Amino acid sequence: MSGTVFELDAFNAVIVGNGALGSAMLEALLGYAGLQRVFVLARNFGSSEPEQHTHNDGLNTRATAGHNNARVSRLSFDAEDPSTIASAAAQIASQVDTLHLVFNTVGLLHDAQHGPEKRLQNLKPDHLLRSFQINALVLPLLAQHFSKLMKHTQPAILASLSARVGSIADNNMGGWYSYRASKAAHNMLLRTIALEWRTSHRNASVVALHPGTVRSRLSEPFLTPRYKNTVLTPAESATCLLGVMRQLSADTSGVFLDWNNQPIDW
Ligand SMILES: NC(=O)c1ccc[n+]([C@@H]2O[C@H](COP(=O)([O-])OP(=O)(O)OC[C@H]3O[C@@H](n4cnc5c(N)ncnc54)[C@H](OP(=O)(O)O)[C@@H]3O)[C@@H](O)[C@H]2O)c1
């Protein structure tokens, strides 16, 4: 087997989540002539939102990404209800025989009641459990339900957005218990899927990706004027992540890479 997913004359994709990075990845994929069908799984398609197309701040990309494009199908899914993953997968299986890319962008860092914990005393069991459900559990369920469609003789990629702070080796700062622990669990699940698929899905690359710090609803509260590191737009990050995925092969499955194609210690 040679070549990558993106060089195929015809390939099908699933993007899970339509936030900043999910929408930017959809836009980027639509630039490939070989893309036949792309299924977007999300809980909110923003039909009542005003038409906005703000590539620069990353916060308003959802409303128009892939709008009215015949290649795009939208399916309802809630990360907190595993049955919705099964039913979305069944609908997709009724429409395509093979999938070449499953790209998971779903994530939770904070919600209206909880921010990332600064110290142990801030840890709340409900938020820790919800973080595991959204950040960790979705990936193996996607792998289970899309396993059959990804098992074929062409290249395939199961990519899932992790975060550098999910690296146990890189944790020198502490804090952010729920996010760190759930992304670390995500990484272990991903690595274990990659090992199993080395024999069952010889065509597939399974990869954890750190998208960089990207302007989005998830990162917005932390991008204060004091934040001095590089901040990417969602479009910039999606372009870089596509560059990383274009260099993957099944032989190197089970890696954790950043947007610059640099490996991150687990
Ligand atoms: N932005 C960064 O700097 C950064 C850095 C490192 C890693 N990441 C990772 O990158 C991924 C994408 O983040 P982003 O920056 O694009 O943030 P975002 O715009 O907030 O996107 C997060 C996505 O997760 C979805 N989601 C959350 N809970 C859900 C649920 N219960 N059911 C269905 N969907 C749910 C959101 O859906 P709704 O829109 O419906 O809420 C949204 O589509 C996440 O995994 C994040 O951890 C981001």
Side-chain angles (χ1 to χ4, degrees):
M1 185 179 57
S2 63
T4 72
V5 167
F6 308 98
E7 291 162 324
L8 293 171
D9 291 338
F11 68 93
N12 299 314
V14 171
I15 299 178
V16 188
N18 64 349
L21 280 158
S23 299
M25 186 53 73
L26 174 61
E27 289 268 358
L29 281 182
L30 288 171
Y32 285 85
L35 182 77
Q36 303 291 296
R37 300 287 306 272
V38 53
F39 300 90
V40 179
L41 272 54
R43 61 179 174 176
N44 174 7
F45 289 107
S47 54
S48 59
E49 293 173 19
E51 291 260 315
Q52 289 173 312
H53 204 83
T54 317
H55 273 296
N56 291 336
D57 68 8
L59 303 179
N60 292 318
T61 48
R62 172 165 43 215
T64 54
H67 227 64
N68 297 328
N69 189 308
R71 291 180 290 170
V72 182
S73 304
R74 295 177 165 76
L75 297 171
S76 169
F77 129 94
D78 188 324
E80 293 173 85
D81 180 354
S83 72
T84 61
I85 299 179
S87 58
Q91 287 186 63
I92 291 170
S94 72
Q95 297 182 50
V96 294
D97 295 331
T98 50
L99 281 175
H100 303 86
L101 173 66
V102 173
F103 192 82
N104 175 29
T105 72
V106 165
L108 172 72
L109 173 57
H110 52 85
D111 60 22
Q113 288 79 39
H114 310 93
E117 308 89 349
K118 288 196 173 131
R119 54 189 69 83
L120 185 57
Q121 286 309 317
N122 304 138
L123 189 146
K124 297 277 189 292
D126 59 337
H127 185 61
L128 180 61
L129 288 172
R130 192 156 174 257
S131 300
F132 270 86
Q133 182 143 37
I134 294 170
N135 292 337
L137 180 61
V138 168
L139 170 66
L141 295 178
L142 292 171
Q144 268 183 355
H145 291 290
F146 291 118
S147 168
K148 216 168 156 190
L149 290 176
M150 295 189 78
K151 193 171 179 172
H152 46 72
T153 54
Q154 293 181 310
I157 295 174
L158 172 60
S160 191
L161 293 183
S162 182
R164 191 182 298 280
V165 298
S167 161
I168 293 175
D170 191 67
N171 185 3
N172 299 308
M173 302 256 297
W176 291 33
Y177 285 84
S178 297
Y179 191 65
R180 282 186 191 280
S182 57
K183 289 291 189 183
H186 163 278
N187 291 351
M188 178 59 92
L189 289 159
L190 182 136
R191 176 86 182 169
T192 307
I193 294 163
L195 289 168
E196 183 169 331
W197 280 21
R198 262 182 207 175
T199 47
S200 65
H201 293 61
R202 291 176 182 273
N203 60 321
S205 292
V206 182
V207 59
L209 295 171
H210 168 62
T213 300
V214 180
R215 198 165 285 282
S216 72
R217 273 181 300 133
L218 181 139
S219 63
E220 196 195 8
F222 313 98
L223 302 182
T224 62
R226 280 184 302 149
Y227 189 82
K228 294 293 177 229
N229 296 330
T230 304
V231 180
L232 302 172
T233 65
E236 286 169 339
S237 176
T239 302
C240 292
L241 294 173
L242 274 168
V244 173
M245 289 192 285
R246 277 200 299 266
Q247 296 182 56
L248 293 173
S249 78
D251 298 342
T252 55
S253 184
V255 280
F256 184 13
L257 299 170
D258 75 5
W259 56 282
N260 242 338
N261 207 21
Q262 295 304 304
I264 300 176
D265 286 339
W266 298 103

